[in-house]
Amino acid sequence: MQPEPMQPQIDWSGRAASRYWLRIALPGLAPMNTAASRRHRMAQHRAAQDLQLLVRALVGRRKPWTTGPLRRAHLFVTRHSSVMADRGNLAIAAKPLVDGLVQARVLANDSPQELRTERYEWEPAPPRAGFTELLVVEASENARLLEVA
């Protein structure tokens, strides 16, 4: 008997928090859109649009309330899968998810000016149980790096 498939999960700081944060866990894995994947560019584009729409739908009204889109933030993306990928490919696979955060108006932009910290990590997971986790944390004006315990 196969386990129940994972459902998307979202958690956020809410209105009363002093610092905004958002955590999203997406079941399944974003495709690695590299030259080695040998997928047609239109198929890659459609998959990216689907991921962006999913992120926008999950964020919904959970965006920053008082400040508008975050102008300074820390972004952590963790891919949980049975096959290790290098950081470059992790960043390529996460790009549509980050674009979805920009379209949902959680982030003002995905440039280095706004994203003070960008980390793309890999964690082992059993086969066919992979998921991707996004964590966005509001940064202070002069923050350069957020230490996560």
Side-chain angles (χ1 to χ4, degrees):
M1 181 174 234
Q2 290 191 347
E4 287 290 318
M6 178 185 166
Q7 296 296 316
Q9 299 171 5
I10 187 163
D11 194 15
W12 68 303
S13 57
R15 290 186 185 194
S18 61
R19 186 159 69 168
Y20 176 85
W21 59 267
L22 174 75
R23 187 187 76 77
I24 301 174
L26 298 169
L29 298 170
M32 297 287 210
N33 287 330
T34 62
S37 67
R38 300 180 51 96
R39 294 177 52 206
H40 191 273
R41 62 184 170 80
M42 290 308 293
Q44 292 177 356
H45 180 69
R46 274 192 303 276
Q49 284 182 322
D50 290 346
L51 288 171
Q52 291 166 9
L53 181 63
L54 176 62
V55 169
R56 286 191 344 242
L58 285 172
V59 169
R61 295 182 172 267
R62 297 174 188 95
K63 43 186 107 141
W65 288 96
T66 57
T67 61
L70 298 178
R71 296 250 172 239
R72 294 189 185 351
H74 303 287
L75 172 69
F76 302 94
V77 179
T78 306
R79 182 180 175 103
H80 300 263
S81 68
S82 59
V83 177
M84 187 182 347
D86 61 53
R87 288 190 202 281
N89 288 341
L90 292 173
I92 290 170
K95 178 68 173 145
L97 302 173
V98 176
D99 288 343
L101 291 171
V102 173
Q103 291 173 4
R105 300 185 47 79
V106 170
L107 299 173
N109 199 341
D110 59 356
S111 72
Q113 253 183 337
E114 280 83 11
L115 291 179
R116 295 306 199 180
T117 307
E118 273 184 277
R119 286 196 187 153
Y120 301 95
E121 301 290 334
W122 172 82
E123 292 289 329
R128 291 185 264 315
F131 66 98
T132 304
E133 186 175 25
L134 299 167
L135 175 63
V136 178
V137 180
E138 183 176 10
S140 62
E141 271 306 302
N142 57 3
R144 278 315 227 167
L145 181 65
L146 176 70
E147 292 299 324
V148 176

